[in-house]
Amino acid sequence: MVNFSLNEEQALVQKTARGFAIEHLAPGVIKRDETETFPGEQIKMMGELGFMGMMIPEEWGGSGMDTISYVLALEEIAAVDASAAVVMSVNNSLVCQLMLDCATDAQKEKFLKPLATGKLLGAYSLSEPQSGSDASNMCTTAQKDGNHYILNGTKNWVTNGISSDVVLVFCITEKGVGYKGISAFIVEKGTLGFSTGKKEDKLGIRGSDTCELYFENCRIPAENLLGEEGVGFKIALNTLGGGRIGIASQALGIARASLEKSIEYAKEREQFGKPIGTFGAIQQKLANMATEVDAARLLIWRAAKLKDKNRPYVKEASMAKLYASGVAMKNSTEAVQIYGGVGYMQEYGIERLMRDAKITQIYEGTSEIQQLVIARDLLKK
Ligand code: CAA
């Protein structure tokens, strides 16, 4: 039977995240977008609230919560500040989850604990200039040298690239064997030969930082290998399944904020002597926006529930991301339309929703890659 009700803990997480977002993220969100300012103070507070390692067991510094709690919190954060939401999503579902699944106890002690408590911030670095969707076609190498690996290459579009303390990096350890030659590594900021590029000037999520990473004879301890050599690509894809649930929740937050702000404005804005919400054209938009927000949420909750039950969820995560990111784009565009001239002006924060929405159709797998993942699953039987 389908159960849509939240338990006490989940309801509390939702309420806490909502309160935090309104009190600490809403003030300054438009300014941070304009000035491309990372919400460092707020991310620190999110760590203190247990939001940076939500699904990590308490023994490793996390909050030991389920994925439903995680998507609830992320939706609330994203509804106010999509930039803070992606910082949270990457740290939780890409960095901490990957470490929980693949790291040794020593690696967990050293890296996962501070990452899950929010004392350190993590980034996940897979893409390269020539390998975005075709992720295994990477060039960055990691060559074994005694008790070390030496990394050489360039990574790009790395979310949290500048503000992070630790980066999970995927490199080729054996050439000529395709994805079977890819391995995953933990690289600490400050390691000689590791540098970051300039902060990218982006259309949206401008409060989060994105940059290139450069590895030039960067020597890291061999004990920073995650799992075994050659299993890195599978680790990367496995982790992205959960990541896509996170980005779907970010998209849902944007879509819901677009709806809520549109309802508010439809009630107060008058044209032809009446609130615009009394006109059929606006009512139809609101009705469609609300229906699609609920549909997106149900897809996300289904994927989250399957993950919590340790059941296959890759297809469902892709469906959730594909749909929710489309809804974020549609709803935010409709919100700008409903607000009209006001919506187009930067100071009201409506056009920001539309700019923030677009990336959810691109990162952690474009919508076309989600369709490919879904179709492959449908056809494999
Ligand atoms: N979990 C574990 N293993 C998986 C898997 C999964 N979800 N999906 C596939 N695999 C396995 C396959 O079974 C295969 O192994 P076998 O040969 O043993 O069966 C192996 O991995 C290779 O799989 P494919 O042959 O399917 O690989 P492919 O090259 O055809 O591509 C792809 C697969 C789905 C297109 C993949 O490249 C992909 O997802 N691309 C998108 C990349 C992406 O999402 N990048 C995001 C960057 S990170 C980011 O954006 C973070 C951020 O900033 C917010």
Side-chain angles (χ1 to χ4, degrees):
M1 190 163 121
V2 183
N3 179 3
F4 297 112
S5 56
L6 303 181
N7 66 31
E8 239 174 78
E9 182 177 82
Q10 292 161 345
L12 182 64
V13 165
Q14 185 184 46
K15 191 169 162 229
T16 306
R18 187 171 298 175
F20 170 82
I22 292 168
E23 192 177 342
H24 297 286
L25 288 171
V29 65
I30 294 176
K31 196 73 188 162
R32 287 195 299 277
D33 168 69
E34 187 191 337
T35 54
E36 297 178 87
T37 304
F38 186 81
E41 272 308 301
Q42 290 85 344
I43 295 297
K44 203 167 145 243
M45 290 166 85
M46 284 159 66
E48 285 156 9
L49 284 170
F51 288 169
M52 296 308 278
M54 290 188 72
M55 297 164 293
I56 302 304
E58 288 175 18
E59 64 168 313
W60 296 118
S63 308
M65 291 180 187
D66 59 10
T67 313
I68 294 285
S69 301
Y70 171 58
V71 300
L72 289 167
L74 207 38
E75 177 187 330
E76 296 304 327
I77 301 293
V80 175
D81 184 345
S83 294
V86 72
V87 178
M88 174 178 163
S89 181
V90 166
N91 199 71
N92 274 274
S93 37
L94 295 185
V95 178
C96 288
Q97 186 70 49
L98 190 157
M99 288 211 173
L100 181 68
D101 294 342
C102 307
T104 61
D105 281 1
Q107 289 170 335
K108 285 179 186 159
E109 191 62 43
K110 184 168 178 193
F111 298 108
L112 179 56
K113 268 191 182 173
L115 284 162
T117 50
K119 289 199 175 74
L120 295 183
L121 184 67
Y124 173 100
S125 180
L126 180 66
S127 306
E128 295 186 8
Q130 78 298 332
S131 61
S133 293
D134 185 9
S136 68
N137 186 30
M138 62 181 66
C139 297
T140 298
T141 55
Q143 201 182 355
K144 189 97 189 265
D145 181 31
N147 286 335
H148 290 84
Y149 282 92
I150 301 171
L151 274 54
N152 277 292
T154 298
K155 293 282 177 182
N156 65 348
W157 305 310
V158 183
T159 304
N160 297 348
I162 289 172
S163 302
S164 55
D165 306 283
V166 174
V167 187
L168 306 187
V169 185
F170 298 88
C171 307
I172 302 279
T173 44
E174 186 182 353
K175 288 186 183 160
V177 291
Y179 74 84
K180 290 184 177 150
I182 295 174
S183 307
F185 297 93
I186 305 166
V187 187
E188 291 180 78
K189 279 282 177 63
T191 308
L192 206 66
F194 173 25
S195 58
T196 56
K198 69 169 174 55
K199 192 197 265 197
E200 302 289 358
D201 185 1
K202 306 192 296 277
L203 173 73
I205 56 160
R206 290 167 59 84
S208 71
D209 61 56
T210 308
C211 68
E212 292 193 331
L213 305 182
Y214 309 117
F215 300 96
E216 290 164 289
N217 292 322
C218 171
R219 182 178 279 270
I220 62 166
E223 67 207 27
N224 283 15
L225 172 70
L226 281 157
E228 294 157 26
E229 275 194 20
V231 298
F233 193 57
K234 289 198 180 193
I235 291 178
L237 292 189
N238 190 40
T239 308
L240 277 169
R244 287 163 185 169
I245 298 177
I247 299 304
S249 310
Q250 182 200 23
L252 172 61
I254 298 169
R256 194 192 87 201
S258 304
L259 169 67
E260 288 173 351
K261 286 184 185 299
S262 297
I263 294 171
E264 253 172 53
Y265 196 63
K267 287 184 186 167
E268 78 190 32
R269 169 74 170 166
E270 291 195 3
Q271 287 294 278
F272 306 102
K274 290 190 253 179
I276 60 170
T278 58
F279 299 120
I282 302 295
Q283 289 177 1
Q284 279 171 7
K285 287 188 197 299
L286 296 178
N288 289 344
M289 289 163 80
T291 306
E292 296 201 34
V293 161
D294 281 8
R297 188 178 291 113
L298 291 174
L299 284 173
I300 292 168
W301 285 14
R302 178 179 69 166
K305 200 81 200 165
L306 287 170
K307 181 167 178 288
D308 281 336
K309 287 179 177 276
N310 280 323
R311 297 202 4 227
Y313 66 92
V314 167
K315 178 184 71 183
E316 289 77 9
S318 283
M319 285 177 165
K321 181 179 182 289
L322 173 66
Y323 190 78
S325 59
V327 176
M329 206 57 233
K330 267 199 252 175
N331 279 11
S332 56
T333 308
E334 287 293 41
V336 172
Q337 191 68 21
I338 291 168
Y339 274 74
V342 167
Y344 202 68
M345 302 302 150
Q346 189 250 357
E347 68 181 286
Y348 300 96
I350 304 302
E351 53 84 51
R352 178 177 55 83
L353 294 168
M354 193 171 149
R355 288 187 287 102
D356 285 351
K358 186 60 206 171
I359 191 62
T360 65
Q361 294 184 307
I362 297 172
Y363 58 20
E364 299 204 23
T366 61
S367 293
E368 292 74 13
I369 288 295
Q370 308 310 326
Q371 287 165 332
L372 179 146
V373 171
I374 297 163
R376 280 188 182 175
D377 188 275
L378 296 174
L379 294 166
K380 84 177 174 203
K381 283 135 197 165

